[in-house]
Amino acid sequence: MTGKDIKIGLLWHSASAGNLGVGALTLGNMAIVRGVCAELGLTPRFTIIGMRDGMDRYVPAEEAPQFVVDTRAVVDPRRAFRTLNAQDCVLDIGSGDSFTDIYGPKRFAFLWSTKMLTILGGTPLLLSPQTIGPFSRQPQSMMAGWAMNRAEAVITRDLPSVEATAKLAPRARCAMATDVAFAVPFQDRSAERGGRTPRVGVNVSGLLLHEATAGTNRFGLEVDYAALSHGVMEGLRAKGAQVCLFTHARGFSADDDDGRAADQFAERHPWAERVPDFPGPMEAKSFLSSLDFVVSARMHACIGSLSSGTPVAPIAYSRKFRGLFDLIGYPWRIEVQGRTTEAALAYILDAFDRRAELAADAQGAMQKVDDYLEVYREALRSLFRKVTA
């Protein structure tokens, strides 16, 4: 280290993910780290360490060069070892929710091996706010516990992850914060709200739409997501809203691409506006700040809306929604288990009518967000003081 520079490896972050939620984690974490470094008189020098995503970069290489973790890097880990241990510390965000065994042994091997290389090299490793687990297999559970027990700290973004960490790694220094994507910088366009015609953003999840149309339903939804989404479109139109179809995850296969879903819905509902795909998370959040109401099943689109002051109706298809929004006290999520499609639609349209209440609740939730993010900032202060001593 020279002068006041601090070299920070951003492990399992992304500079170019088509899923803007993963990119939002990167930009939000960088913004938080820069704030803490400014307090301490440090200049962060970032290196992003993760998969090659193939989209155009929204984090310039001069801000954060990237080391690509691929199969070769795991089979012959010498270059990865050198890169990880050339850092003063490593912040591992696990792509938000990938430190689990539910995605199969290959992804777990990538996530775990890079932690192992960092720990064996003696570089301080901190797990940035993320979902931990679920873990239900061996040896994955034991290996996850080994890594977390040896990390400087494990910061989770929900209570179930705290409980999972306590079970797997009882010696881990664990604390609960919230999602760093709340901190993504953006251009505030809130002055565009409140026109005579309410502007509503609808994000149709390509993932859930494919599950609904293919009949696979691996997330256990008890509502018909396709019928619900079309009903939302027509219901909002009947209420006099201008519906804007936007995407938040693109460039994937046909079973997980919001772009294909938006195009299909624009063809069936030609009166709706098909918003061009965003080049990055900051542009997406800036757009969301201009709307009067948002409906989405992409968690980070909901976070972008909430943190820019736009009332949002999150379609909570997984436990990460419940953990996050319960934590910050935002009660307006739409459950898709134990509820009919008709009841879910009525709930969303009622929330649109009561969007002033949602906006007030969003403001209260953001006060809690800042308190929880302060937990993470304090963990970073402690780590940065240690590695620069």
Side-chain angles (χ1 to χ4, degrees), residues 234-291:
E234 294 297 340
L236 290 169
R237 183 191 189 194
K239 288 180 177 290
Q242 176 189 352
V243 178
C244 306
L245 285 162
F246 72 93
T247 67
H248 211 259
R250 55 193 172 87
F252 297 106
S253 58
D255 62 354
D256 189 9
D257 190 332
D258 293 358
R260 288 185 174 91
D263 291 341
Q264 291 174 22
F265 270 63
E267 185 174 351
R268 179 161 167 177
H269 308 278
W271 43 266
E273 175 190 351
R274 169 63 162 96
V275 179
D277 295 340
F278 306 111
M282 288 192 292
E283 292 81 3
K285 186 172 178 178
S286 300
F287 170 77
L288 293 170
S289 74
S290 75
L291 300 174

Side-chain angles (χ1 to χ4, degrees), residues 1 6-11 33 37 42 44-47 49 83-92 118 122-126 152 379-380 383-388:
M1 190 188 306
I6 177 171
K7 293 178 288 184
I8 300 171
L10 297 176
L11 182 58
V33 168
C37 285
L42 301 170
R45 304 298 182 193
F46 296 111
T47 299
I49 304 165
T83 300
L84 287 161
N85 293 291
Q87 314 304 317
D88 295 309
C89 60
V90 171
L91 306 180
D92 178 351
T118 306
T123 299
L125 171 71
L126 185 146
E152 291 292 314
L380 292 175
L383 174 65
F384 295 165
R385 289 189 183 109
K386 175 181 177 178
V387 302
T388 58

